[in-house]
Amino acid sequence: MRIGVYPGTFDPITLGHIDIIRRGAKLVDKLIIGVSTNPSKSPMFTLEERLEQVRRETAGIANGTIEVVSFNALLMDFAASQGASMIVRGLRAVADFEYEYQMAGMNQQLNSEIETVFLMADVALQPIASRLVKEIAIFGGEIGKFVTPAVAAAVKTKVAANKS
């Protein structure tokens, strides 16, 4: 069985993430979406909320070959523990490539048995970034073009609660 891991903080999950998940799921028998507790980021949503969002938004993709789990470890250790043979990463722009290229090189040094596969973002989805979605929402902008309606509602609720 070919297993892939698509890691991220998914804070929040965007249409860009969902596109990479749909396409990445076609490359493997099982795609594990690893929701990270990245200590270098200050998430808007709790880990439990992000897990729920990702599970809800990916339900039904690829006939149940997707599993959503949290992790708080080195990506390569997590991937190895899941039996993964590949890491799936999305690329939006040259800046993403430079960062991801460096990470892939470091990851290969940690475990050369696990390959990194890059998927180019759909042209229409390239500008979408979770960080920007949150920033737009905080300043009262419309985020419906970048996330699903359920995620947009959750972001708006969080923004309103944080302003109180």
Side-chain angles (χ1 to χ4, degrees), residues 109-121:
Q109 294 294 315
L110 294 172
N111 186 335
S112 62
E113 298 298 312
I114 301 174
E115 293 292 336
T116 299
V117 176
F118 297 113
L119 296 176
M120 296 301 299

Side-chain angles (χ1 to χ4, degrees), residues 48-148:
E48 293 74 25
E49 289 169 329
R50 289 182 283 133
L51 287 165
E52 165 57 31
Q53 282 182 5
V54 174
R55 286 184 181 120
R56 182 186 64 237
E57 300 303 329
T58 60
I61 295 176
N63 300 322
T65 60
I66 292 176
E67 183 179 346
V68 181
V69 297
S70 66
F71 75 101
N72 185 18
L74 283 173
L75 172 57
M76 297 312 275
D77 290 344
F78 171 69
S81 76
Q82 300 298 308
S85 60
M86 75 173 70
I87 305 296
V88 175
R89 299 296 293 161
L91 295 175
R92 294 172 297 197
V94 173
D96 280 352
F97 177 78
E98 291 172 1
Y99 172 79
E100 293 293 346
Y101 182 78
Q102 182 179 22
M103 290 301 298
M106 293 296 286
N107 287 339
Q108 186 178 36
Q109 294 294 315
L110 294 172
N111 186 335
S112 62
E113 298 298 312
I114 301 174
E115 293 292 336
T116 299
V117 176
F118 297 113
L119 296 176
M120 296 301 299
D122 181 287
V123 174
L125 303 173
Q126 283 179 359
I128 301 173
S130 294
R131 176 183 54 82
L132 297 175
V133 168
K134 291 184 286 190
E135 189 173 317
I136 291 166
I138 288 167
F139 288 104
E142 176 53 46
I143 60 172
K145 296 178 185 176
F146 314 118
V147 295
T148 65

Side-chain angles (χ1 to χ4, degrees), residues 22-42:
R22 275 195 184 103
R23 293 168 47 217
K26 294 176 184 176
L27 302 176
V28 293
D29 299 309
K30 180 178 183 180
L31 182 63
I32 298 170
I33 303 170
V35 180
S36 146
T37 57
N38 190 334
S40 68
K41 297 184 178 181
S42 300

